[in-house]
Amino acid sequence: KAGVTQTPRYLIKTRGQQVTLSCSPISGHRSVSWYQQTPGQGLQFLFEYFSETQRNKGNFPGRFSGRQFSNSRSEMNVSTLELGDSALYLCASSEDWPGSRNQPQHFGDGTRLSIL
Amino acid sequence: GDSVTQMEGPVTLSEEAFLTINCTYTATGYPSLFWYVQYPGEGLQLLLKATKADDKGSNKGFEATYRKETTSFHLEKGSVQVSDSAVYFCALSGAAGNKLTFGGGTRVLVKP
């Protein structure tokens, strides 16, 4: 099976712009989660989507949003970019079925976002 | 809320040395515990997992045992190789579904 695919790998934006990142999960995985990784704050959970619904949300401002499509692909959007949004954004997918619990997540290689 | 604390690095070792990375956690209920590894320029790879007390996860020579009494999940490897140089993250998944809570990561450098 192909792994989790994130596009683009690198992105440079300026303050005030908005950006959309894309994630294609492993085939058959219906849960997609997003994480932000920075040297200062480490790995922080952004949100999780399952069957096109946001199931869980971390402590990020409303400028960070996401969605999931019927084929489980997901996008995250960041509006009004700030310098502090510079980070590696990681997407992860996992299997999820009734009765399953805390299944391992499989990560993509991430999108490195730099804000100038 | 849930939290994970792991030893700070960097940890520098010689090849064939013994590696231990300490990890302790705070969580309500019965979380699942994971170790992930990150190589330069890549995402995280699942190294091993344990889902209940006294479970031992193992993979590629690495082992970790879920100790509920000490709320710990320490990672060990008996003989490291240069290729084990990476950043290692301890994580838990608790009551909030698939959300992972990570420790700060431990950079390991193995010298030939």
Side-chain angles (χ1 to χ4, degrees), chain B:
Chain B
D2 297 346
S3 68
V4 176
T5 302
Q6 62 182 104
M7 59 189 287
E8 290 191 25
V11 174
T12 304
L13 303 164
S14 297
E15 222 169 8
E16 300 183 2
F18 184 86
L19 171 68
T20 299
I21 304 177
N22 291 338
C23 170
T24 57
Y25 68 90
T26 302
T28 55
Y30 301 92
S32 292
L33 302 175
F34 306 89
W35 277 99
Y36 283 87
V37 59
Q38 186 175 35
Y39 298 100
E42 298 184 10
L44 278 70
Q45 297 178 23
L46 176 67
L47 186 58
L48 52 84
K49 68 172 184 175
T51 58
K52 62 183 186 296
D54 299 325
D55 263 3
K56 177 185 281 189
S58 62
N59 186 28
K60 300 180 181 179
F62 290 91
E63 291 184 341
T65 301
Y66 189 146
R67 301 287 188 200
K68 190 160 179 64
E69 64 275 16
T70 55
T71 61
S72 65
F73 193 54
H74 305 321
L75 182 68
E76 297 181 337
K77 185 174 185 183
S79 177
V80 294
Q81 305 300 313
V82 172
S83 57
D84 293 325
S85 299
V87 181
Y88 293 81
F89 292 92
C90 184
L92 71 81
S93 181
N98 288 325
K99 171 187 173 182
L100 283 170
T101 299
F102 286 92
T106 302
R107 184 176 299 279
V108 173
L109 177 61
V110 181
K111 296 185 173 180

Side-chain angles (χ1 to χ4, degrees), chain A residues 34-110:
Chain A
W34 289 88
Y35 295 82
Q36 182 195 65
Q37 185 177 24
T38 60
Q41 299 298 315
L43 279 153
Q44 294 185 285
F45 172 79
L46 281 155
F47 26 66
E48 180 202 3
Y49 286 86
F50 178 78
S51 291
E52 303 179 64
T53 301
Q54 187 179 88
R55 189 161 66 172
N56 216 337
K57 188 177 187 304
N59 296 323
F60 279 81
R63 300 186 297 107
F64 292 81
S65 63
R67 59 178 176 169
Q68 186 181 33
F69 301 94
S70 58
N71 62 358
S72 294
R73 192 177 70 83
S74 177
E75 289 181 347
M76 69 163 279
N77 183 277
V78 188
S79 62
T80 321
L81 286 165
E82 301 177 359
L83 292 177
D85 297 333
S86 293
L88 180 66
Y89 290 88
L90 294 165
C91 169
S93 73
S94 62
E95 296 183 271
D96 203 312
W97 63 89
S100 72
R101 176 180 170 273
N102 299 338
Q103 294 301 308
Q105 296 195 36
H106 302 266
F107 285 79
D109 287 338

